[in-house]
Amino acid sequence: MTMTREQFISHVKSTQQAFRRFLVALCCGNAQLADDIAQEAYIKAYMTSDSFDNPGKFRAWIYKIGYNTFLNCRRDEKITVDYEEAKSIAAEERTDAAFNYQSLYDALDRLPAKERVSIILFYMENYSIKEIAGMTETSSDAVKQHLSRGRKHLRNLLTDKN
């Protein structure tokens, strides 16, 4: 059974806030970039929704599309400024009032993408290791390793700042 337009809209409405929160965290507080990625992910999802046949897994499916869209966006980025200049520009762009954890965003921003997404999905979105493995197309052992390394890296980055 394929998803109708109305079902797709209903699923988007029910997951929209959590999906945006996930993407804002993944983009380290850059709400504008997160919104761009969300829009692109929703378009991709809608274009392939006729082949999606498990409405109970819509949230995991859209997160997977969002994560892949984020990775593609990161691959396409061209670094044209040094790290300190980029850091100050990024700090100016972070306007999402729902998050006031700048040092956490800065630390998340310095993690490899796989560690960052595992940390965000596990701790902020409450997904299981098995669910994260499915979304990121890795093994459960790899997710456990990303979580372990991510926690260690975050601990070091956050304690260095204090």
Side-chain angles (χ1 to χ4, degrees), residues 12-158:
V12 166
K13 285 181 180 179
S14 70
T15 60
Q16 189 171 343
Q17 285 184 316
F19 185 55
R20 184 176 187 275
R21 183 177 60 242
F22 163 69
L23 290 174
V24 169
L26 197 59
C27 294
C28 299
N30 186 336
Q32 189 174 23
L33 177 60
D35 289 342
D36 290 346
I37 291 172
Q39 184 176 14
E40 190 173 335
Y42 282 131
I43 291 169
K44 288 177 181 178
Y46 185 73
M47 298 303 287
T48 59
S49 65
D50 58 341
S51 64
F52 182 71
D53 60 356
N54 193 347
K57 298 285 186 177
F58 182 85
R59 185 173 174 184
W61 181 61
I62 196 68
Y63 275 51
K64 182 176 182 177
I65 293 170
Y67 173 63
N68 287 331
T69 303
F70 166 78
L71 289 178
N72 290 337
C73 178
R74 292 295 293 243
R75 279 187 207 112
D76 294 342
E77 285 179 354
K78 305 264 188 287
I79 298 176
T80 57
V81 295
D82 67 28
Y83 176 74
E84 289 303 318
E85 185 179 350
K87 189 174 166 182
S88 69
I89 291 168
E92 293 170 13
E93 290 179 0
R94 292 187 174 116
T95 59
D96 194 310
F99 293 95
N100 295 315
Y101 306 105
Q102 192 61 49
S103 59
L104 177 59
Y105 280 145
D106 289 342
L108 284 169
D109 194 33
R110 298 184 71 188
L111 293 180
K114 290 180 180 184
E115 289 177 18
R116 182 185 320 160
V117 76
S118 294
I119 293 285
I120 292 168
L121 288 173
F122 188 78
Y123 290 105
M124 296 177 76
E125 298 298 325
N126 298 315
Y127 278 99
S128 70
I129 290 172
K130 183 178 177 183
E131 290 170 319
I132 296 168
M135 283 185 233
T136 58
E137 298 178 340
T138 59
S139 68
S140 292
D141 287 338
V143 172
K144 288 176 188 176
Q145 189 175 51
H146 296 148
L147 286 169
S148 176
R149 287 180 181 167
R151 283 189 299 264
K152 181 180 177 185
H153 289 140
L154 278 175
R155 189 177 310 114
N156 291 338
L157 290 167
L158 292 171

